Amino acid sequence: MVPHASGRPWLAGSWAPEDLVVAEAGRVRVAVFGLSAITPERLAALISPVRGLPDVDRVARRLPGSAHVVASVHGQVRFQGTVTGTRCVFAACVDEVPVAADRADVLARMTGAEPDEELLAAGVTHGMFFAPLSERSWWRGVHQVAADSYLAIPGNGAARTVRWWNPPEPDVPLAQGAAQVRESLREAVAQRQTHQGRLSADLSGGMDSTSLCFLAAEHHPDLLTFRWNGGSAINDDPRYATQAERSLAHAEHLTVPETDAPPVFAPPYSLPDTEAPRALTRGMNAIRSEIRLLVEHGATRHMAGHGADELFTGSAAYLHTLFRRSPFAALRQLRAHRALYRWPLASSLSGLLRGEDLGAWWRRCADGLGRPAPPSPAPALDWGVQVPATPWATGDAVKTTQTIFYGVADQVAPLAQDRGQHEALTALRSAGPALRLLGREFAAEGLRLELPYLDDRVAEAALSIVPHERYTPWRYKPVLATAMRGLVPDVILDRTTKGDCEESVDRALQEHIPDLLELFTDSLLARRGLIDPARLRTTLLTPPRSGDVWSAQLEATLGAELWLREIAARTTTSAPAGPARDDSHRLHRVPDPEERS
């Protein structure tokens, strides 16, 4: 427990001592909770000019790492997470008292909240959530604060959300911006120090994980790397990983045959907690196997390259804005995109010229749920990707999802004026919450998952770069490649391929269809009228066609089913909200009458 200046409770929960730094200056008290190298003395100096909640903006913008910031300023409280969504804030009322936490299921247990049936319907119907839906709590009565906002709790009154962060203007040239990305990323990796045990990192052979390994080796020459060893004609990751290992001579390389990994979609099926359904379910048994191996080798923190795809790659949506500023440059790049993806000329030009706003796009998403997928992918020039409804979603589930989408359309606003910038922010803020839940899987086994690419300062550095230099059809991840030049071997940075494992995924799915059908025999989703088990069986037993997207949607349905079962099991046994070994954190705010001005 951390008290207010008056001595009454302010923060309560469970955390490691090194995860919390608290400083005070007069009647201002600020807690930085998570991964940050700041000292109490430095934090005290930063907060000395703070006179009101908005003044904490300057403090938050200067903090590297990944952390919550909680401030008590003259009787008012400010609580915020990260702008990429890897650390979230939830709020609810307990006996008319506003309470906040970094976990939704904690508040759900405190308030007796029930799962959000409407969001469940959308989850099984659409499968892939974009912001703002990705920032909606799965529990009724529990509110999730948007990643660019903080929760303000007055000394006496209702809590409210305040937007405090805006993305940087994307006007920095590639060379200058890449240098800042390098320094931000280097600082982010340097902060991943282990107070005990070893630091481990994925070394798949891809540019993302390999770059982190070379940055980590600057501080941890005895780094422990991990990879599954196996490849095919369409997955050349192992060849590049082997070359990277030769350059990391002092590191220990743990290489495990891919055949030793539990296949995707294989049982057992389980979740470690009840906060939200998992979007990433098909390969969790392999991940858990990896975690156990790393823990056996002494690892306590593990770095992964998740988030780099969202940060350094993108669709051709940026051309929409570029065309209105520099039409000839946009048309030249569109020609290259068309050659790469075989987009028809007519639909490419119509997508470039379409002036549809974001609300209209969401309405089109709603209308398109009842239509089959087009025979070939549309040029990626819209606000996002549109997909048809999951084949096994019931009519009621589809109608509920359409209602939700229409509601989003009436209120949504772009995250940035530049469409490429908006898409990047949408991808980051959609991936962040999902990857945060992945971190819970690691915590349940005693290993902390670290995602440096999703640190706020790293994201800001990348987002400041001109979109048509950040994304280009002629180079693969040009920002990261430029930033890591001279540190990572050129053979990695000049790579033009990305490992593809979908062939083995499809094969494993076909092998484990009987297990999945058995799981859904007595489905809680079906009891709620959200899925049709007969249509699910028919879909799974019918060979997929080119353009089908339901294998990805199957993960979301599986995650929703497992979530409901975990809730039911814990309700029956009255188990605690967290897993047996839970290194995740909880923060609660108790109002303090003595703190009021």
Side-chain angles (χ1 to χ4, degrees), residues 297-359:
H297 282 73
T300 54
R301 287 185 186 268
H302 182 73
M303 285 198 308
H306 304 307
D309 283 344
E310 289 78 7
L311 200 58
F312 300 118
T313 63
S315 74
Y318 71 92
L319 293 178
H320 190 275
T321 302
L322 180 62
F323 179 72
R324 282 144 183 83
R325 297 174 180 172
S326 181
F328 290 109
L331 290 172
R332 180 171 176 265
Q333 292 206 17
L334 177 62
R335 181 179 181 183
H337 281 288
R338 287 188 56 237
L340 282 172
Y341 304 111
R342 300 181 180 180
W343 293 340
L345 176 61
S347 57
S348 298
L349 291 177
S350 66
L352 198 61
L353 295 172
R354 185 184 296 127
E356 181 181 52
D357 64 24
L358 184 56

Side-chain angles (χ1 to χ4, degrees), residues 186-254:
R186 174 173 267 153
E187 184 177 17
V189 171
Q191 289 190 76
R192 266 67 184 186
Q193 299 294 329
T194 54
H195 295 272
Q196 58 181 359
R198 303 180 65 182
L199 178 70
S200 62
D202 288 335
L203 181 56
S204 67
M207 193 187 302
D208 310 334
S209 64
T210 304
S211 295
L212 294 182
C213 287
F214 279 89
L215 288 168
E218 294 181 330
H219 304 276
H220 301 271
D222 61 341
L223 177 72
L224 173 65
T225 74
F226 178 89
R227 69 179 172 98
W228 297 107
N229 187 34
S232 66
I234 59 174
N235 181 21
D236 53 354
D237 277 351
R239 179 162 62 89
Y240 290 95
T242 301
Q243 296 186 39
E245 287 173 359
R246 296 193 190 105
S247 299
L248 293 165
H250 297 288
E252 178 183 353
H253 303 295
L254 180 57

Side-chain angles (χ1 to χ4, degrees), residues 7 35 38 54 78 85 155 169 174 176 178 216 221 271 294 370 388 412 425 437 472 546:
L35 180 74
I38 196 166
R78 167 173 170 160
E169 190 64 29
L174 174 61
Q176 178 184 343
L271 284 179
L294 291 170
V412 73
L425 288 164
L437 295 178
T472 168
S546 175

